[in-house]
Each structure stands twice: as structure tokens, then as C-alpha cells.
Amino acid sequence: MNAVIFLVILGGALGFVIALAAKAFAVKTDPRVEEVEELLPQANCGACGYAGCAEFARALVEGEATPENCPVSSPDEVQQIASVLGVSLGERLEKVAVVRCGGDNRLANWNANYNGILDCRSANLVAGGTKACQYGCLGLGTCARACPFDAIEITPHGLAVVHPDVCTGCGKCVAACPRNLIELVPKDAPLHNLCNNPEKGAQSRKVCDVSCIACQKCVKSAEEGQMYMDGFIARVNYENPPSADLAEVCPTKCLQPSLLVKQSMPALEHREEAQQEEEVANA
Amino acid sequence: MPKQAKFHGGIHPPEAKVTGAFEIQTAPLLETYVVPLQQHIGAPCNVLVKKKDTVRRGQLIAEPGGFVSAGIHAPTSGTISAVTTCTGPAGASVPAVELTSDGDDTPDDTLTPMDDWQNSAPDDLKKRIADAGIVGMGGAAFPTHVKLSPPPAKPIDLLVINGVECEPCLTADHRLMLEDPDKVLTGTQIIARILGCKKVIIGIENNKPDAIELMQTKAEKLEMEVAPLKVRYPQGAEKQLIYAVSGRRVPTGGLPMDVGAVVQNVGTAAAVAEAVLDGKPLYERITTITGTPVVKPGNWRLRVGTPLEAALTLAKGVHNDPAKIIFGGPMMGLAVYSLDVPIIKSTSGILLLNSDETSEFTSGPCIGCGQCVDVCPMNIMPGTLSVQIENERFDLAEAWHAMDCIECGCCAYMCPTYRPLVHHLKRAKAEIVARRKAEQNK
Amino acid sequence: MAEETVKLPNPSSLVVSSSPHIHQPQNARRVMLTVVLALLPACVAGVYFFGWPALRVILVTSIACIAFEAFFCKLFKRPNAIGDFSALLTGILLGMNLSAATPWWVCVIGALLAIGLGKQLYGGLGYNIFNPALVGRVGLLIAFPKLMTTWVTPTPGNFLPDAVTTATPLDLASQGTINADYFNYFVGNMGGCIGETSAAALLLGGVVLVYFGYIRWQVPTAYITTLALITWGVHLANPATTPTPLFHILTGGLMIGAIFMATDMVTSPMTKLGAVVFGIGCGVVTCVIRVWGNYPEGVSFAILFMNALVPLINRYTATRPFGLATRNREANA
């Protein structure tokens, strides 16, 4: 009996001390921080420049950052955060990453057999990477490992492709790629030039079947300002994109929608068709 | 006898110097040369010629793009057939000039012999070295005139001439010392004059007794020392060589000049002598072509821009297809994948290896045996570092002294699980340098 | 004269990789195999003294370890690692650390603990923190204390199918009976685990390994020296009731522990200095257990305890890069 009484008194006394301490040493936090944090994606990807979502939420509430700084949240979520904070927002374009290379092992040539660390940044240090095209995707998956959302897939034929539905446009892969192949583009862009080889057409063609040969057909066929030439690469003007039909005019089939949207490799089909025709002709 | 210290670690791989007894042969003139416009460490060159220009042998075809840079000279006389790109030994595509020979090999006379070099001003001699486009011929290809311009705060009192040739298989420096010792020593005297330095030590590994003896008799008269060194790789690395011959320790992250020393390769010394005495810019070098698959291994005097294919034809081709072609030696050389790669100023050897002679790296685990630590001449811990680097912890790698790595390859040579340790460290060094740059720009 | 044809290399068959392009003729598999061979003298001695049951125990643990290795590699979708012989080595070491009277099913459980808990759960060879064979042994020691301390009386040369039980010299010593029968202890004619008794055979194996450079000699040297010094001090203070240092060195699992278990590459420090620290640590902990603890034997626990400290030892005994000292001295000057 005594023991029970003793424990009750002891418990009560300690509880009182804890209550006092909680009052005396309370850390004042803005309740909005928690609220904002709950609205954030909780991926802690760091794309905003802060060390995780909690830190970003604190920065938001203190006015250091604006909700658009989170590239991962959808426009709806950004709007919600803005209303919690009571700030107004500009229009925000939803972006996704795209790998500007379409030359997988079947379409692009390789110079030699590579023996070393299976990582693009490391491979790039040995003989400049062994892909014949010095600008193309090495397919060793450094971007896929860098992606906090598992949005990048390495195809069985050694090409990195971004799943546009999963990609949040955080840009981690952009920094990871040793060949600067990955670009953030508007999510609704219908076409991309999936080649980043700045060399002349003949040179590009030698190393890869699906290279941009700077023929300018797309630039001429598109409306003024939709496509432009950047040296020997045709580029899509994402602010005024051409229609998806423009892909038809590209002779090497490097002007394409994201490869996963289309679920096929037009350049490969093109080559196979040509081979079949040749066989028929020979027969 | 200078004090000889034993640097930490090191290995003794099979020397395989089969071409040591073969005299240097001069390659016949080729029809075309492809001369890369970046053959050194430092700023790229600006091309001075355009298509259809005619040039003479030794004419400057690309001027240095800065102080830390070295000009490129035409290897022979002829017409520029294209200003193009080529695959360099490092694998990346580099700008290059294609030169079609006219067969006359007419020399250019811009640079005149400086017969009275003993009385020339050091700065004039230094300018001549820069004009001749001389770079370190041991492999690093650092512009020589830069190395000979230490800041006044760092006086140089020791010149070390590197005749070590610690890389297995290579014999180019060995042959040069045997066949042209006077040129090497004259070049050494010129360099010593430029640096104003009295003490000269020539380091030679004692697997070349003939070269040691010859150099010793010749050097004695010139009051230079020859230090015979016990064979150990990487004795030819700057910091290890300075320590071996003088006991001075170059501080981490520092340069030899921090301990008052300058190291020059014997090939560089000979090139300096040619530039000063004959007015001949650096457009050819001695290269060892060797390896089991090669039909006729040998030492060749090759002009810069000689395509690999032509060089191998001189060696009468191969018995069988090699697994690897390496520019340089087996420990630090660069594997190439194309027969179009041209010889450049720093190509000390072309080595062909069969598949059973080369090592295949695996991604096996580090089993912590510590052999890499035991052999590391820089006394860092490559095994631990490689695990950190695998996990992309470059901050840890920096704290564990990844930047001190000299990429000599001792660790990967020993690793029982065949981990690509040097590859890991190369990656870490690249990432750390990029990080430091990014931080500076902030 | 026809122009001679020169065969040039085929570029498409070339391999590129980072330097270096040559490698010494040695690999992990060869290291493991050499260690296995170095263990053979002790194995033979064990079978000579304890008869066929000893051979049976070693065979069962070896086969079970290899089988579990294959099983776990498949389970965790790792490349099959039987070929590197590390599982065989673990199996032999585990068997040598058991009594010849151990039933076969206990051996199998030990193998499961060693390979599963000790190695594969950590990620396989190279990632384990603790010596797998010792994890197996200590697991069994705690689970089956009676079975694991049933020792067989040595019957040199008589390969009896059944065994008579006895006690180890260390058991006797902890009960106060010290037999200073050093010659028999040195050759291995005493009760104990199969592989631990013959100091002579173990030393022979150790010399082979040190010669090939597969173990750091600093570990056993530091270990045995530390143990000898501490037990010597204890013996001097209390000569009547405590055994001599030589007794401690020759009995129990010290020899096999110091030469074969503490020197395991994966679970010992990478640097030479670290190896010395590790050896001293093992010696101190062994003494604490043997002299002041309840267990007569402490080698297994000591090594496992020090295994846990290896990352820390590695960190504090990290090598100083060439030239680092100079700069600091200059900066201070």
C-alpha cells in the first residue's frame, strides 16, 4: 500500500516538474511551419536549395523563399501553400526533365569495350567514355541514381529515359549528367530534339543513326520562331513549340516526343524498314 | 654519394624492358601527320594556319593560349590539308591540323642556334624554351618554361634530372641516355643556368647499369652527381624522386619548388639542348613501341602527329589482336581505342597488351586487407577512400586526403579483389576540384 | 618483291579502362585458398588427436557453410560467391573452433549463424563487421553452453569412433588445478577445440601466411605479447594460484585466435599501426576475461569485441600522407 502511495506522489511531483519545464523552456514555433511542411512533398530532394522540406517550410514562413521554389509541388499544392502563407503567386510552368539523346546501343556506335566503374561520371574520365558520340548518353545510370523520385529508367539497351508523369522537374539529374544532356522543359512540350551532338551532320551521322544532322528541314517546315538552329543542332523553341506533326519531316527521327510517351523508337523502326526494303530489292 | 631515402610503399612489377638493347631508329617521313593542338597541361593553343597554307618543318602552327601553354610546331614541311579534330590519347576529341608532307622536309629558320648559350641571359634561354614549345616529356606534359620560372620567393638550389624510367616496359629514356648523353647533359647545364642552381643530381634506377656508368663518367667532369637508385615503382614520380635523392619532402598540395627543387626528365633536357644549340623546336620525340603482340618492338624517333597506325606499321604490326593499346607505360598510361590517335609530345611509349597480360577490374568488395595502404607512395588509404567514393561521399574523401593521390596505380596493382582504385580516385579528384571551383565562384 | 603485309590490331576488340593496366598475379580467391592450406596442419593435428569425430565436425561445418553461402547469395540476389573460398574458410575455422564431440546438427546451426548472421546479413564478404566463424562459435556457446563445453580426451593416433570426455587445461585452471604440461600443450595433446590445441601446427600455418604477406604479423605478435605481459604480472603477484604466461599462450584458443581469427582481413584494421592497437586490445580483453571473468576462455569474445572497434581504430590510425608533417611543421614555425 505504501508503495502505491509513494509512486503516486512521486509521479505527481515529477509530472509537475515536467509541466513547469515545458512552460519555462518552450520553443516558440510558428504553427504555420508545420502546416506548410505537411503540404510539401516530403521527398527531401533538396531541389529548392534547402536541406529538406522542413527547412524549406521554415524558410517559406520566414519569407526567405517563395512557394514556387519547390519545383516538385504541383501548381495546386503551390497555390495551397501560398494561401496558407497569404502571399500571391506568379504563373508557374510545370517542368519535366528530358534526356536529349535517343541513341541507344542499337542505334549509336561504341568505340571500345569499357572496363571500369559502372557510373557515367567515372566512365567519362576514361578515354572520354567509350560511346563513339562524345555527347551521347552513356547509359550507366548516374542520373537514375540521382533521381529522388525514381523517374529515370535505363532501358535494356542502355539509354536513360525520363518518365514525364513521375518526373517533378527537381533538376537533380541535370547536375548529375557528365555530358549535360538533361534539360528541364515544359511538361506539355510536344517535341524535343533528342540529339545534342554539336558537330557537323556528316560527323554526327558517322557515330549515331539517330543524330541531328543539321539538315534544317524542321526549321524550314515549322512556323517562324518555333524551331531554331544552335550551331549544328536544331532546337525547339519551348516558348512557342511546334506541333507534334513536325516529327514527320525529320530524316533521322531525332526530333521526337519523349521516348516514353510514344513507347517506341521511330529511328529503329525506320532503319528496320529500310533494311527490309533493301532485302526485298536484293531478292 | 647523396643521401638516399626510401619513400613509403611502392611496388616492383615485372620490368619487361625488352627494348632496352635496341638502338633508336628514326622513322621515315610520312605522307600525312595529324597534329593535335592541345598537347600539354594548360591553356589550349590558338591555331595560326588555315587550309591550303604551306608550312616548313618547325614552323609555329599554333601559338600558346596563355603563359601556362606551349606552342605547336609543324613536324615537317608541306601543306595544311585540313583544320579538323582528332581523337586524342585521352579519348576526347581535340582540335587538330592535318598536314600533308611535300617530301622535302624543308626546315624553318625562325629559331637560330644560340651557340654562345653559356653567356646568354637566363631569360633569353627561357624564352627560347617557350618558343620551342617544350613540355615535360616524362608524361605529364607540363610546359617546361613555366616550371623554370619559380617565383623569387622560392629559390631553387637543387635540380633533379629524372632518368629513372620506373614504368615497366618503357626504354625511351634509357636509350636516350646511352646514345646521346652529351645532349642530355648540355640540356641539364642550360636548365641549371636558367635556374641559377649549382647542385644537380641525375637519378637513374640501377636496372640500367650501362646508363649509370656512362652518365657517371660524363657527369663527373661537369660536377654533377649521378644517383643510382634501387628499382622501385614509382621512383620517377616527382615527389618520390626528390625524396629518394635528397631526403626532402614536398609538402602535401605543394610543388617541388616549395623545397627548392625542380625535376626535369632526361628527354626534356635533351629537347632543351636541341632548342638552344640547334634552334630546333619540339616536334619529335623518342617513343618505345613494345608489347608481346608487337612483331618488332623497338625505340623510335617519331614526329609529333604520327598516327598510331603508322607507328605500328613501323613495328611491323602485330602477331595477334591485342586487348589493349596504351599510350605511355602500363602503370599510368592511357588506353586508346582508335588507330588514328596521334603521337604527341608526351607519348613516351606505345604498349600493346594481350588479354592475359592486362587486368580486368571488377566491382568486388573491399576486403580490408590493407595492401593498398602498404604500397601507397603517398601514404594515403586508397581502399577506404574507394568505399567512400562509391557512396559518393566526396567530402569524406577530401578529408581522407584523396587530393594527395598521384594516380601511380600501386594500389590497384595490388588489390586482391581487382577494384578500380585509381579510377575511383580520379573521379573523386575531379569532383573535389569541381566543388572547390563552385565554392570559389559563390 | 611483293609488299609485305603488316597486320594491324583490330580496334573493335580493344578494351579501355583506367590505369594501371597490369596486375600482380594474386586475387582474393588465391589468398583464401592459401589460408585454407595454412590451416591444414592444425586440421591434421586435430584429427590425429581427436580421431574421426573431429574430421566429421570439420566436414559438416565446411559443407554447411558453403551450402548456406550459396543459399543466401541466391536469396539476396547476389552473385554466387562460393568460388572465392571464403565460405570454405569460414566453415573450416568454425569446425576447428568446436569440440570433436559436437553433434552434426549443432554444427549446421553454427554454420547458419556464421554465414547468415555473421556475413550475408551485412552484405557478404567485405561488409561484415564481425568474424563470421566467431559469430557462429559464440552463438553456439551461448545457445548450447553444455554441449559446447563437452571436450574430448585426446587419443593421439588412435582413430577411435567414439569419444571420452575431459576438461581443458583452462577449465581446470579456473577450478584451481594448474598442470604445467607444456610439451603436450605445445603439440596439442590436451582437451579443447579441434583446431586450437596444437600450437605447433598453428605456428607453422602462421609462418606461411606471414611469408606470403596475407596476414599482418603485427596482430598476433601484439596480441600474444600483451597477453603474456599481463598474465606474467598477475602470475608474479600470485604465483601459487595463477598459471604462467606460457600456460596462457599454449592453452585455449589463443594461438588459433591470434593467428587465424584476429588477422581476418575484413574484420581487422587496414593500417600497420591499427593492427598493433587491435592486437593489444585483443590481448587486454582476453586477459580480463580469463583472469577476472567467469569464462575460462576469452579469445572469441575478445576478438569480437575488438572487431566492433575496427572502424574506430581505422579512423584514428589513418596514415599521414607523405609531406603532410612538413607543412604543419612549417606552419607552426
Side-chain angles (χ1 to χ4, degrees):
Chain A
M1 196 59 208
N2 282 347
V4 173
I5 295 169
F6 174 73
L7 279 178
V8 167
I9 294 171
L10 185 71
L14 287 176
F16 185 68
V17 172
I18 292 171
L20 275 184
K23 268 268 185 280
F25 301 111
V27 179
K28 284 205 183 81
T29 51
D30 195 322
R32 290 184 301 166
V33 172
E34 220 164 287
E35 211 175 322
V36 170
E37 202 188 328
E38 267 165 30
L39 287 168
L40 286 170
Q42 302 297 346
N44 294 321
C45 66
C48 53
Y50 291 90
C53 292
E55 189 63 12
F56 180 59
R58 186 198 53 74
L60 280 175
V61 171
E62 287 173 12
E64 277 177 32
T66 55
E68 298 101 314
N69 288 41
C70 176
V72 177
S73 301
S74 71
D76 281 353
E77 285 162 341
V78 170
Q79 199 59 53
Q80 273 178 323
I81 297 170
S83 57
V84 170
L85 296 168
V87 295
S88 62
L89 279 177
E91 189 84 1
R92 195 184 70 136
L93 211 57
E94 220 180 328
K95 290 202 161 184
V96 292
V98 64
V99 182
R100 286 178 296 165
C101 178
D104 68 8
N105 291 347
R106 296 166 297 184
L107 291 162
N109 302 339
W110 289 81
N111 277 329
N113 309 305
Y114 168 68
N115 170 231
I117 307 167
L118 298 179
D119 166 270
C120 305
R121 297 184 80 87
S122 306
N124 203 30
L125 292 172
V126 172
T130 44
K131 202 169 200 169
C133 172
Q134 306 220 336
Y135 310 92
C137 174
L138 290 165
L140 295 172
T142 301
C143 51
R145 285 189 291 275
C147 180
F149 303 96
D150 286 340
I152 302 184
E153 179 190 329
I154 306 297
T155 68
H157 298 286
L159 184 69
V161 283
V162 181
H163 287 258
D165 300 335
V166 188
C167 177
T168 60
C170 73
K172 284 249 150 168
C173 50
V174 176
C177 180
R179 302 197 147 181
N180 298 321
L181 274 179
I182 307 180
E183 190 183 12
L184 292 179
V185 299
K187 192 170 186 175
D188 51 7
L191 284 177
H192 317 285
N193 182 3
L194 297 181
C195 178
N196 197 36
N197 189 335
E199 290 190 33
K200 288 177 195 164
Q203 297 271 6
S204 316
R205 189 69 215 224
K206 237 193 273 176
V207 293
C208 180
D209 276 2
V210 58
S211 61
C212 177
I213 53 171
C215 67
Q216 308 205 13
K217 273 191 183 158
C218 51
V219 179
K220 286 170 195 153
S221 309
E223 281 170 32
E224 184 70 32
Q226 290 183 334
M227 299 286 301
Y228 63 99
M229 292 304 292
D230 174 12
F232 293 101
I233 317 175
R235 290 202 191 274
V236 175
N237 180 1
Y238 287 110
E239 285 175 8
N240 176 19
S243 77
D245 302 338
L246 193 63
E248 298 293 315
V249 304
C250 180
T252 57
K253 308 289 171 207
C254 66
L255 187 66
Q256 286 296 325
S258 167
L259 290 176
L260 280 171
V261 172
K262 205 157 176 182
Q263 295 283 339
S264 69
M265 300 213 66
L268 197 66
E269 286 156 20
H270 182 69
R271 188 172 73 181
E272 277 161 9
E273 270 168 34
Q275 275 167 355
Q276 272 168 9
E277 272 167 33
E278 206 173 299
E279 272 166 32
V280 171
N282 287 347
Chain B
M1 221 20 228
K3 183 192 163 199
Q4 278 194 29
K6 184 174 179 285
F7 60 90
H8 177 265
I11 53 174
H12 190 179
E15 288 164 24
K17 294 189 186 267
V18 288
T19 53
F22 300 168
E23 262 179 43
I24 301 169
Q25 305 169 71
T26 303
L29 209 57
L30 296 178
E31 272 173 30
T32 45
Y33 292 92
V34 181
V35 187
L37 298 180
Q38 166 98 43
Q39 304 191 15
H40 51 267
I41 293 178
C45 290
N46 306 320
V47 62
L48 293 175
V49 291
K50 53 186 189 300
K51 200 172 168 179
K52 292 191 180 141
D53 279 0
T54 54
V55 294
R56 291 165 170 227
R57 163 162 60 90
Q59 183 180 332
L60 192 68
I61 54 176
E63 63 177 4
F67 178 62
V68 185
S69 185
I72 312 274
H73 300 81
T76 183
S77 62
T79 324
I80 304 292
S81 37
V83 177
T84 165
T85 57
C86 75
T87 309
S93 168
V94 288
V97 164
E98 197 180 295
L99 174 64
T100 307
S101 162
D102 59 10
D104 297 337
D105 209 19
T106 333
D108 180 69
D109 48 12
T110 318
L111 299 181
T112 50
M114 298 169 78
D115 294 324
D116 194 24
W117 64 267
Q118 279 99 337
N119 299 315
S120 305
D123 281 346
D124 291 346
L125 292 168
K126 212 190 288 176
K127 183 167 179 307
R128 166 55 57 92
I129 290 172
D131 288 343
I134 294 176
V135 299
M137 313 256 287
F142 192 77
T144 300
H145 65 278
V146 182
K147 236 170 149 181
L148 297 182
S149 312
K154 307 221 157 136
I156 304 297
D157 62 353
L158 175 67
L159 172 64
V160 183
I161 296 297
N162 185 350
V164 170
E165 201 157 54
C166 58
E167 275 270 8
C169 306
L170 303 187
T171 55
D173 291 349
H174 182 192
R175 289 313 301 179
L176 174 68
M177 285 187 287
L178 281 184
E179 293 178 29
D180 234 339
D182 294 323
K183 205 179 264 176
V184 173
L185 292 172
T186 312
T188 307
Q189 282 176 296
I190 297 171
I191 295 169
R193 176 169 171 76
I194 294 173
L195 292 168
C197 132
K198 292 271 178 297
K199 192 171 167 65
V200 179
I201 303 177
I202 302 166
I204 307 173
E205 278 192 343
N206 56 18
N207 56 357
K208 299 179 264 290
D210 45 356
I212 293 174
E213 199 181 333
L214 185 63
M215 293 297 274
Q216 226 150 16
T217 46
K218 300 240 173 206
E220 241 167 42
K221 294 171 203 152
L222 303 169
E223 296 182 343
M224 296 176 190
E225 274 180 86
V226 172
L229 300 166
K230 189 163 181 293
V231 178
R232 211 144 58 95
Y233 178 86
Q235 194 117 243
E238 274 191 343
K239 294 180 176 186
Q240 278 64 33
L241 180 60
I242 293 172
Y243 186 64
V245 299
S246 72
R248 301 183 192 181
R249 289 165 183 267
V250 178
T252 63
L255 291 170
M257 64 165 91
D258 293 333
V259 292
V262 161
V263 180
Q264 291 292 352
N265 182 267
V266 285
T268 318
V272 165
E274 284 178 350
V276 172
L277 295 182
D278 310 334
K280 177 186 159 194
L282 180 58
Y283 57 78
E284 63 178 9
R285 68 154 298 133
I286 299 160
T287 299
T288 305
I289 304 175
T290 185
T292 329
V294 178
V295 177
K296 274 208 155 63
N299 302 295
W300 289 86
R301 189 168 276 116
L302 296 176
R303 303 204 179 189
V304 163
T306 305
L308 175 58
E309 192 174 337
L312 289 176
T313 312
L314 289 175
K316 303 274 181 253
V318 291
H319 295 297
N320 54 294
D321 282 332
K324 265 186 186 170
I325 300 182
I326 297 152
F327 267 51
M331 294 303 291
M332 287 187 76
L334 300 162
V336 300
Y337 52 73
S338 157
L339 297 186
D340 303 331
V341 179
I343 307 301
I344 61 170
K345 291 174 184 175
S346 57
T347 310
S348 48
I350 296 169
L351 174 66
L352 277 65
L353 291 176
N354 284 331
S355 55
D356 56 344
E357 293 169 314
T358 103
S359 57
E360 192 178 329
F361 293 115
T362 66
S363 48
C366 172
I367 57 168
C369 65
Q371 290 193 58
C372 52
V373 183
D374 290 353
V375 298
C376 179
M378 293 308 290
N379 208 10
I380 58 174
M381 299 176 70
T384 313
L385 281 163
S386 72
V387 176
Q388 293 163 345
I389 296 160
E390 263 176 342
N391 295 313
E392 312 230 322
R393 289 296 305 272
F394 300 110
D395 51 335
L396 277 181
E398 193 176 357
W400 285 65
H401 311 290
M403 290 308 282
D404 281 316
C405 173
I406 57 170
E407 300 172 21
C408 64
C410 292
C411 49
Y413 177 82
M414 294 303 289
C415 181
T417 52
Y418 288 67
R419 285 166 69 79
L421 295 168
V422 176
H423 198 174
H424 278 301
L425 278 152
K426 279 184 183 169
R427 159 119 198 262
K429 284 166 77 174
E431 299 275 349
I432 292 169
V433 167
R435 266 158 205 243
R436 284 183 183 173
K437 262 197 192 141
E439 238 151 67
Q440 266 173 12
N441 293 340
K442 251 183 196 172
Chain C
M1 190 181 134
E3 196 163 305
E4 61 181 325
T5 49
V6 169
K7 180 180 152 59
L8 287 170
N10 172 15
S12 65
S13 67
L14 292 176
V15 177
V16 295
S17 74
S18 168
S19 60
H21 305 285
I22 51 175
H23 197 283
Q24 64 156 338
Q26 175 231 54
N27 54 35
R29 182 194 163 111
R30 207 153 132 178
V31 174
M32 296 295 174
L33 203 58
T34 313
V35 180
V36 169
L37 291 178
L39 273 170
L40 274 186
C43 272
V44 171
V47 175
Y48 175 77
F49 287 116
F50 300 111
W52 297 124
L55 187 64
R56 194 201 60 203
V57 167
I58 294 177
L59 281 180
V60 169
T61 52
S62 304
I63 293 167
C65 276
I66 293 172
F68 281 124
E69 176 99 343
F71 170 73
F72 280 107
C73 282
K74 217 169 176 76
L75 187 69
F76 294 131
K77 297 194 175 62
R78 295 195 186 115
N80 195 324
I82 298 175
D84 65 19
F85 291 119
S86 64
L88 174 67
L89 178 59
T90 304
I92 293 179
L93 276 175
L94 176 66
M96 291 175 72
N97 270 296
L98 297 176
S99 156
T102 315
W104 67 269
W105 54 273
V106 173
C107 297
V108 174
I109 294 174
L112 175 65
L113 288 173
I115 295 294
L117 186 66
K119 185 171 163 194
Q120 291 292 344
L121 278 186
Y122 285 101
L125 178 69
Y127 300 104
N128 50 311
I129 300 171
F130 299 106
N131 187 323
L134 283 181
V135 170
R137 188 204 165 172
V138 166
L140 292 179
L141 192 61
I142 293 167
F144 309 103
K146 189 81 182 60
L147 273 176
M148 287 295 291
T149 47
T150 307
W151 309 108
V152 174
T153 315
T155 51
N158 298 321
F159 294 95
L160 300 175
D162 290 311
V164 184
T165 59
T166 183
T168 69
L170 274 174
D171 284 336
L172 295 173
S174 70
Q175 289 152 19
T177 323
I178 299 162
N179 300 323
D181 190 5
Y182 294 133
F183 177 75
N184 273 334
Y185 294 165
F186 182 67
V187 295
N189 192 4
M190 61 177 161
C193 296
I194 298 163
E196 72 180 21
T197 53
S198 175
L202 290 166
L203 274 175
L204 182 67
V207 169
V208 169
L209 291 184
V210 170
Y211 173 77
F212 282 111
Y214 292 162
I215 62 171
R216 290 203 184 280
W217 60 266
Q218 289 92 339
V219 175
T221 313
Y223 193 168
I224 294 171
T225 313
T226 310
L227 185 104
L229 286 177
I230 298 180
T231 50
W232 186 50
V234 173
H235 181 68
L236 280 187
N238 227 342
T241 55
T242 55
T244 60
L246 194 60
F247 180 89
H248 273 290
I249 290 169
L250 293 178
T251 60
L254 180 76
M255 276 297 174
I256 190 170
I259 296 173
F260 288 98
M261 314 293 260
T263 53
D264 172 40
M265 288 174 173
V266 180
T267 56
S268 65
M270 284 181 84
T271 62
K272 286 175 190 153
L273 181 63
V276 174
V277 174
F278 181 79
I280 293 175
C282 286
V284 170
V285 178
T286 307
C287 283
V288 168
I289 296 175
R290 276 195 185 179
V291 177
W292 293 285
N294 245 341
Y295 273 105
E297 172 62 301
V299 174
S300 308
F301 291 103
I303 296 173
L304 285 179
F305 180 81
M306 290 308 290
N307 282 164
L309 296 184
V310 163
L312 212 60
I313 296 175
N314 270 338
R315 185 166 168 178
Y316 286 104
T317 60
T319 52
R320 289 179 75 77
F322 176 78
L324 188 67
T326 326
R327 192 172 60 176
N328 288 355
R329 207 178 300 148
E330 271 172 16
N332 293 341

